[in-house]
Amino acid sequence: MPIDPVASATFAPTETPAPGTRKQAMDSEVFMSLLVSQLRNQDPSAPMDTNQMIAQTTQLAMMEKITQMTGVSEENFHLQMRSSAAALIGNEVSYTGVDGVEARGLATAVSYSGPVPTVTIGGKSIALDLVSGVGTLPTPTPAPAS
């Protein structure tokens, strides 16, 4: 039974990134490049075990799904921070100031311009992660009628 030589297959050359722009993380592109190189340079008398190849492609698929799940988790975390910051408006909020002293004030606005939402408390912009407590303002009791 004749065997087709592997050398007859054509592969697109892999691009090497410019110096200083090399990837720092393993992704599917790097994984596939390694797999193709492994297949291209294998010994024809002792080819790669198909079980190993299937295991490697399964690992690739798992890595891609975990990467997607990580992205979704980060998005959910950012949405939760935004929702939490918005829920503070109209409440009395305590926070630790830059001087390390605990302060309180009414949360009047929220900004999402930075990586961490900021809450405007008493005219000061305070990062959400510095907020240490939330309460409601006491409702004034009406004076008794005379």
Side-chain angles (χ1 to χ4, degrees), residues 42-121:
Q42 71 181 336
D43 180 8
S45 64
M48 183 178 174
D49 182 16
T50 54
N51 290 334
Q52 285 180 345
M53 197 161 134
I54 290 171
Q56 288 178 359
T57 53
T58 301
Q59 288 172 350
L60 170 65
M62 286 174 47
M63 180 186 70
E64 288 177 339
K65 290 298 179 188
I66 289 172
T67 302
Q68 287 175 354
M69 286 174 49
T70 301
V72 168
S73 292
E74 287 176 5
E75 287 177 26
N76 284 338
F77 176 71
H78 292 295
L79 287 172
Q80 286 176 343
M81 282 196 328
R82 287 175 174 235
S83 295
S84 297
L88 295 176
I89 294 176
N91 289 313
E92 183 180 39
V93 178
S94 58
Y95 63 95
T96 305
V98 288
D99 54 0
V101 176
E102 183 89 9
R104 291 177 171 253
L106 179 65
T108 56
V110 174
S111 172
Y112 303 119
S113 61
V116 175
T118 57
V119 182
T120 303
I121 305 168

Side-chain angles (χ1 to χ4, degrees), residues 6-13 40:
V6 175
S8 67
T10 58
F11 294 100
R40 188 181 305 156

